[in-house]
Amino acid sequence: MKRILGVALCAAMLLSLSSCLRLIAGSMRSASSDTSSEEYSYSSEETVSSEDAASSSDSAVTEYGNDTVGWMTLDGTFFKWYTPGNTETCVQYAKSPSEILTMDVFDCAAVKEQTGVDFDSLMAANTKMYQLEQDSKTQNIEKLTGAREPLGSYPAYQVYCYYPDDDQYLVTWYMDSPDKTKVYYVAAEFRSSEMSFFNYAQTYKMPGN
């Protein structure tokens, strides 16, 4: 399926913001490869939050994930999912081909080595926006929005959009690790009839938590 917002300062001396984002987008094309060469501002007015989604309650819950990308508390109706082209670290679980959760991690030093650009959750979110804006030139994408929106107890940058042709929401979060060496990535994909699916992502725990 189709699978990083704020005013980003690109530290690379010989690169414009546009080329910075293009370089990073290439290095991050993985668990999600999803938009223009402009700078974007986060807005807190339009976000997808747990208050907007109906609650979900299922029994027999357990933790899914690993010590590399983190964990979510999910019920027994989930099964392992795989999207071709994912990174080796990417982990996905699904309730259906339309309701999918993704967890991944980016190493900040490795991204900087590839691109020459300091990398953090804000830059990751900007890159996602860049990818989605580019995709929107050839795909039907609506409601593209970015905001500072926590994921559970973690400060995060959220980027989300809606694919009307498939009735599919894509909501992503980017979070810095406590030592600022990694950026953790979480995504939820779901249909408009399954808004409560969003709540599963709210159970996310970083490794070591």
Side-chain angles (χ1 to χ4, degrees), residues 4-5 8-12 15 17 19-30 32 42 87 89 104-131 157 173-186:
I4 246 174
L5 291 206
L9 297 177
C10 209
L15 298 175
L17 177 61
S19 55
C20 279
L21 295 177
R22 192 175 299 113
L23 281 171
I24 297 173
S27 70
M28 294 181 66
R29 226 165 203 106
S30 57
S32 56
Y42 284 88
T87 64
T89 54
D104 206 349
V105 61
F106 301 103
D107 184 273
C108 297
V111 175
K112 183 171 183 177
E113 183 177 351
Q114 293 178 32
T115 65
V117 179
D118 290 328
F119 186 73
D120 59 11
S121 60
L122 177 58
M123 181 60 79
N126 272 304
T127 304
K128 185 64 168 182
M129 282 291 286
Y130 175 84
Q131 292 176 335
Y157 291 100
W173 294 265
Y174 300 88
M175 297 156 285
D176 294 308
S177 64
D179 61 5
K180 309 296 183 183
T181 62
K182 297 179 178 64
V183 171
Y184 290 102
Y185 166 81
V186 171

Side-chain angles (χ1 to χ4, degrees), residues 12-142:
M13 295 171 56
L14 302 178
L15 298 175
S16 65
L17 177 61
S18 166
S19 55
C20 279
L21 295 177
R22 192 175 299 113
L23 281 171
I24 297 173
S27 70
M28 294 181 66
R29 226 165 203 106
S30 57
S32 56
S33 51
D34 307 310
T35 303
S36 158
S37 58
E38 304 172 7
E39 299 179 52
Y40 298 90
S41 297
Y42 284 88
S43 166
S44 60
E45 296 178 358
E46 291 187 50
T47 65
V48 177
S49 69
S50 57
E51 295 178 356
D52 300 325
S55 63
S56 59
S57 56
D58 292 287
S59 57
V61 296
T62 188
E63 288 192 334
Y64 287 64
N66 58 48
D67 287 331
T68 299
V69 298
W71 305 87
M72 289 182 185
T73 303
L74 309 176
D75 61 66
T77 63
F78 279 82
F79 52 89
K80 195 125 184 180
W81 186 263
Y82 175 74
T83 300
N86 281 353
T87 64
E88 292 182 1
T89 54
C90 182
V91 174
Q92 293 181 294
Y93 299 99
K95 286 177 76 78
S96 78
S98 298
E99 277 67 52
I100 304 168
L101 295 168
T102 301
M103 292 179 283
D104 206 349
V105 61
F106 301 103
D107 184 273
C108 297
V111 175
K112 183 171 183 177
E113 183 177 351
Q114 293 178 32
T115 65
V117 179
D118 290 328
F119 186 73
D120 59 11
S121 60
L122 177 58
M123 181 60 79
N126 272 304
T127 304
K128 185 64 168 182
M129 282 291 286
Y130 175 84
Q131 292 176 335
L132 287 170
E133 285 286 355
Q134 293 299 312
D135 288 349
S136 69
K137 295 176 181 179
T138 57
Q139 301 178 37
N140 189 7
I141 297 177
E142 298 178 353

